Amino acid sequence: MKKALIISISVIIIFIFSFITYWNLPIEVTRKSDIRFGNELIQKIQDYKKTNNKLPENHDWQTLKKLGFKMEDLGTKPLYAKDSTNTYELSFSDGFEGPYLMWNSQEGKWTIDFPKIVSK
């Protein structure tokens, strides 16, 4: 009985330690595949901007699909939004309320944050 209690407590402590360690890892580690995919899209958006002298429109599904966005029921993955100042954002919303993995073209880095641009 005592041995089972010690094993149970040890397993719980290891689980808690693992969870805390994972939670504190940088986003470059925990969201590596999303960031890699997002960086590919950012490069394609920049190429599109150089070619067409403008960013793709928020709801131009055909263009966004050609750029490599994955189409879903509620839009694209990641979500794409641009504003009138030619700033754009990519956000990976995983169906939960934020904060989300975000890229903002003004900031130029991946963060965990809430969207600053609301797509109309």
Side-chain angles (χ1 to χ4, degrees):
M1 182 68 156
K2 200 174 193 181
K3 190 174 185 179
L5 182 62
I6 292 172
I7 291 172
S8 298
I9 291 173
S10 298
V11 168
I12 291 170
I13 289 172
I14 289 171
F15 177 75
I16 291 171
F17 178 75
S18 299
F19 181 76
I20 291 171
T21 301
Y22 178 80
W23 194 260
N24 289 309
L25 287 172
I27 60 172
E28 291 81 8
V29 174
T30 59
R31 302 295 298 268
K32 185 176 183 177
S33 64
D34 286 339
I35 290 173
R36 186 175 338 123
F37 177 57
N39 287 338
E40 291 171 12
L41 291 175
I42 291 165
Q43 185 60 49
K44 291 176 183 178
I45 291 169
Q46 294 300 331
D47 293 343
Y48 179 90
K49 186 177 178 183
K50 287 178 188 173
T51 303
N52 298 293
N53 294 321
K54 65 177 185 169
L55 290 170
E57 295 300 322
N58 287 331
H59 301 293
D60 185 356
W61 308 123
Q62 290 178 340
T63 301
L64 295 174
K65 188 174 183 177
K66 286 178 187 175
L67 291 175
F69 283 83
K70 297 175 184 172
M71 304 312 282
E72 295 187 340
D73 293 336
L74 300 174
T76 62
K77 183 171 184 168
L79 297 173
Y80 168 80
K82 79 169 193 102
D83 64 11
S84 60
T85 65
N86 277 332
T87 299
Y88 68 94
E89 282 182 339
L90 301 179
S91 60
F92 286 89
S93 70
D94 298 321
F96 304 106
E97 294 199 16
Y100 307 114
L101 176 63
M102 299 279 309
W103 167 269
N104 184 292
S105 62
Q106 266 188 330
E107 296 171 7
K109 63 181 179 176
W110 289 100
T111 59
I112 300 292
D113 204 352
F114 291 96
K116 295 171 183 69
I117 300 173
V118 178
S119 177
K120 296 176 184 170

